[in-house]
Amino acid sequence: MIVTLDGPAGAGKSSTARALAARLGWCYMDTGAMYRAVALMALDRGIPLDDSAGLAELAEAITIEFRDGRVVVDGRDVSTEIRTDRITQATRPVADAPPVREAMKRVQRRMAEGMDVVTEGRDQGSVVFPAAALKVFLTASPEERARRRHQEEAARGNGVALAEILAAQSQRDEGDRTRAVGAMKPADDAVIVETDGLVAEDVVNRLVAMIEERSRS
Ligand code: C5P
């Protein structure tokens, strides 16, 4: 069975998807981390970020695994490295390239074959797994998402202004929504879940109830 969780950054997708997969004992697939991993390997191997054919080839050639909450590429733990600003920026052209998205779609389908999976991203319900048992689109207001990010940054000792976070976030959202292929949008049959004021546990409880209901019918 496949459950997809799509939505903008800061809507609580990652913590929800992780907790949901753990609760169900299912595999967890973080497709944002997969695009990030391709960007990292491209920089490492000197593949130009505008060489979309080369990037697509790379996306199919590397082995990405999710092991105990870590992201492992060709046997190397890249969990920390793929979250740096350098990689966040390099990921944008990688994720925008249609041949890379085609390659990733194949890789993601292959990884999920025959498994029970919770997968999170932007296009998982709309493009990659159109037949998923449950498709969820998690959202929260821009202010709430920016506030959460602000708190995370403060907890890491980074004093970034809330207004700055909000501006960068709306630029990212715009890029995600207007991408020519694989744009972020809810699948036609997605359940929209607003997470303003909810903690991950509330959202997970709701999703577990939906999954139980669907597996009964
Ligand atoms: O979610 P995260 O910030 O890790 O995603 C990294 C990048 O990959 C973002 O630019 C996002 O737009 C892109 N992405 C994508 N399709 C997905 C998941 C992420 O284009 N399914």
Side-chain angles (χ1 to χ4, degrees), residues 6 9 13 30-33 35-36 83 88 91-92 95-96 101 108 120-124 172 176 179 182:
D6 292 303
K13 265 184 316 196
D30 175 354
T31 63
Y35 282 101
R36 288 171 181 273
R83 306 281 163 206
T88 299
T91 304
R92 174 62 58 185
D96 280 348
R101 302 204 73 87
Q108 289 161 5
E120 66 146 300
R122 305 289 189 287
D123 61 346
Q124 297 298 286
R172 254 201 332 269
D176 280 348
R179 172 175 286 136

Side-chain angles (χ1 to χ4, degrees), residues 24-216:
L24 299 167
W26 291 11
C27 302
Y28 163 63
M29 203 155 83
D30 175 354
T31 63
M34 296 174 77
Y35 282 101
R36 288 171 181 273
V38 175
L40 172 67
M41 297 309 272
L43 294 185
D44 272 13
R45 296 187 188 179
I47 299 172
L49 296 179
D50 59 0
D51 174 7
S52 53
L55 292 172
E57 204 175 301
L58 176 68
E60 297 218 63
I62 59 178
T63 302
I64 305 173
E65 295 163 280
F66 298 105
R67 285 193 211 151
D68 305 324
R70 311 297 294 173
V71 183
V72 178
V73 179
D74 289 344
R76 166 176 152 211
D77 185 341
V78 298
S79 316
T80 309
E81 226 176 326
I82 58 169
R83 306 281 163 206
T84 57
D85 283 347
R86 180 177 86 108
I87 300 302
T88 299
Q89 277 166 27
T91 304
R92 174 62 58 185
V94 170
D96 280 348
V100 176
R101 302 204 73 87
E102 270 307 307
M104 286 305 241
K105 185 163 78 178
R106 282 193 290 275
V107 171
Q108 289 161 5
R109 286 181 179 168
R110 222 180 291 139
M111 280 174 77
E113 223 167 69
M115 315 276 266
D116 288 320
V117 179
V118 177
T119 177
E120 66 146 300
R122 305 289 189 287
D123 61 346
Q124 297 298 286
S126 55
V127 176
V128 182
F129 298 106
L134 176 66
K135 301 175 192 173
V136 179
F137 194 83
L138 279 192
T139 65
S141 66
E143 294 73 21
E144 167 87 8
R145 289 160 45 215
R147 200 182 49 75
R148 288 178 189 163
R149 181 70 193 269
H150 187 247
Q151 274 177 353
E152 279 168 22
E153 292 291 341
R156 284 194 212 121
N158 302 330
V160 192
L162 187 60
E164 206 177 300
I165 291 177
L166 199 54
Q169 176 181 280
S170 69
Q171 204 178 6
R172 254 201 332 269
D173 286 354
E174 185 63 12
D176 280 348
R177 268 197 301 266
T178 56
R179 172 175 286 136
V181 176
M184 175 180 71
K185 64 164 188 188
D188 292 339
D189 52 351
V191 180
I192 314 273
V193 178
E194 273 277 352
T195 66
D196 280 70
L198 297 180
V199 294
E201 202 188 339
D202 300 329
V203 183
V204 171
N205 288 339
R206 253 192 225 189
L207 300 185
V208 168
M210 287 183 209
I211 293 165
E212 283 171 354
E213 196 187 305
R214 280 173 197 229
S215 39
R216 270 197 301 271

